Each structure stands twice: as C-alpha cells, then as structure tokens.
Amino acid sequence: PHADQTLLAQVLGKLGDSRLAANMNQIARAANTGTLDLSPEVIGDLDAACRDIRAMRETLIAALGLKAAADP
C-alpha cells in the first residue's frame, strides 16, 4: 500500500516529541514492583495515554492504507 507521507510524518513527530517508551517502561516497572500509585489523577493520565496511543495506531493504519483489525 502507498503510505500517506503527511500522516506518517505527523505520527512520527508526535512520537519524537514524547517520552512514551521511557514512560511506559517506568509504569511497567512500578506495576511489577507493586509501587504504582493508582490515584484518580494517575488513572486519568493512564486513560489519556491509552487514547493517545490508540489515536497514533489508527493514524498509522490509515497512513499505510491498511484495514484495522477488530479490537479484542
């Protein structure tokens, strides 16, 4: 499929501006050690991060001209 260069650039730009990988690693480490603070603020932040990741996934799928699989 032909990739939409503008959409790909937008997603890559967002990924480059984020510390997504480092932050997800810190969250996983805290969850594994039992030190993850699940305050309402943290839960809200995690929900927002999941929405952002989902939006990036959808944009990448569209940019690559792929059809999204049904979510489980």
Side-chain angles (χ1 to χ4, degrees), residues 6-30:
T6 302
L7 289 175
L8 289 173
Q10 289 174 358
V11 171
L12 292 174
K14 282 192 173 271
L15 287 172
D17 289 342
S18 77
R19 293 187 26 85
L20 184 61
N23 292 342
M24 293 301 290
N25 188 41
Q26 290 175 348
I27 291 168
R29 186 176 303 131

Side-chain angles (χ1 to χ4, degrees), residues 34-61:
T35 60
L36 182 61
D37 170 30
L38 290 178
S39 68
E41 180 181 1
V42 170
I43 291 171
D45 289 346
L46 289 171
D47 285 340
C50 288
R51 284 190 302 274
D52 290 345
I53 292 167
R54 190 172 296 116
M56 286 185 275
R57 176 185 179 270
E58 291 169 359
T59 302
L60 281 170
I61 288 170

